Structure formats: structure tokens, C-alpha cells
Amino acid sequence: MPYTSRHMDHLTMQHAPPCVSLPVNLVANLQDSLLMAVTDLQRLEGLLDHATANLMERFGTVNAALGALPESQQDELGPIRTSLHQAVTELQFHDMATQLIVHTGKVLQSCAWRLAEEAMEPEEGEIPLGLDPMPERPSPVTQSEMDAGSIDLF
């Protein structure tokens, strides 16, 4: 039985990836929104860096003040020093949060550039973007809580 034109179209459609036509304006707006989210994540990372630096400085000040107290009070300071050291350890939250922010930013930025590359024709003489690949792992951070003992040292 010879293949008809309709039959060939059906075979071609089975092997072709799905295609959705979107207005360029919609794609451009979506790309802008994704890139704004990346910018917001970068600002959040900066805020976390600043807050963490301030906390570390304050913990250092407290630790120095505790060390300057008379020898007779040092035994009573044990629980305070223990709590202070635990608080510093819990600042690993900054490291985990920063890794997650950077990863999410890379995913969003990759989506924005891929969307633009797929939806818009390059202008004459335009050099194609060297796109960063989409991160392979879903997330670099596996912790979902900050309870004692739940922090993995990196």
C-alpha cells in the first residue's frame, strides 16, 4: 500500500518535537521577567552576604568581650560560649542559601536566553550567544531544615 500525503504528515508529526507559536512580544516580556528575577536573586545574595558579615562581626565582638571577663566568671560563661559557637555554625545557612540562589539564577537565566534563542530570529551579522548550559542537578543544596545535626559540612 503506497503512503499517502496524509499518512506521511502523520509519520512526520510523530517524530517532530512539539512546537508552540508565541508572539515575540510575549516572549520578550517573559524573558524580561526572568532576567528581573535573576537580578532580584543577585540582590538577595548581596543582602545575605551583608547580614552574615554583620553577624560574624557581632559574634566576634561578643566572644572578645567574654574573653575579657575576670577568670572567676569564666566557668559561668561555658553555656554562653557554646550557644555562640552553635550560632556561628548555623550561619552555614548563608552558604546553603547562596548556593541555592546562584543555582536558581543560572536556571532562570538559561531559560530566558533559550526562550529568546528559540523564539526570535538572529539579526543579520549577529553572533549567536554562547549560552551557559542548564545546570544538570536540580539543586546543589540538599538540606531542608536547620535543626541541630542536620547541617552537612561542605
Side-chain angles (χ1 to χ4, degrees):
M1 162 170 99
Y3 288 116
T4 64
S5 167
R6 183 171 177 227
H7 185 87
M8 292 297 279
D9 287 343
H10 179 70
L11 289 175
T12 304
M13 288 185 350
Q14 284 179 340
H15 298 290
C19 183
V20 176
S21 178
L22 297 173
V24 172
N25 191 32
L26 175 67
V27 172
N29 287 337
L30 182 55
Q31 182 187 29
D32 286 346
S33 296
L34 289 169
L35 293 175
M36 281 191 301
V38 170
T39 300
D40 288 345
L41 287 172
Q42 289 168 342
R43 277 194 227 135
L44 178 59
E45 181 182 8
L47 291 170
L48 280 171
D49 287 344
H50 181 73
T52 299
N54 287 343
L55 283 171
M56 290 300 291
E57 182 180 327
R58 285 175 176 75
F59 288 153
T61 302
V62 170
N63 193 38
L66 292 175
L69 292 174
E71 194 70 33
S72 61
Q73 294 180 339
Q74 291 298 320
D75 289 341
E76 298 170 15
L77 298 178
I80 295 172
R81 286 189 184 279
T82 299
S83 291
L84 188 59
H85 287 294
Q86 288 172 341
V88 169
T89 301
E90 289 173 3
L91 283 175
Q92 287 182 346
F93 169 76
H94 170 265
D95 183 49
M96 292 187 301
T98 299
Q99 287 181 47
L100 191 56
I101 288 169
V102 169
H103 175 81
T104 303
K106 285 179 181 178
V107 169
L108 291 174
Q109 192 168 34
S110 178
C111 288
W113 294 127
R114 284 184 194 282
L115 185 63
E117 183 181 58
E118 292 293 324
M120 296 179 225
E121 294 292 324
E123 293 182 18
E124 187 176 320
E126 183 179 21
I127 298 171
L129 292 172
L131 299 177
D132 290 334
M134 181 76 75
E136 292 178 20
R137 293 191 314 161
S139 173
V141 178
T142 58
Q143 270 66 34
S144 60
E145 58 185 79
M146 292 296 296
D147 294 335
S150 69
I151 301 171
D152 291 337
L153 299 176
F154 302 106

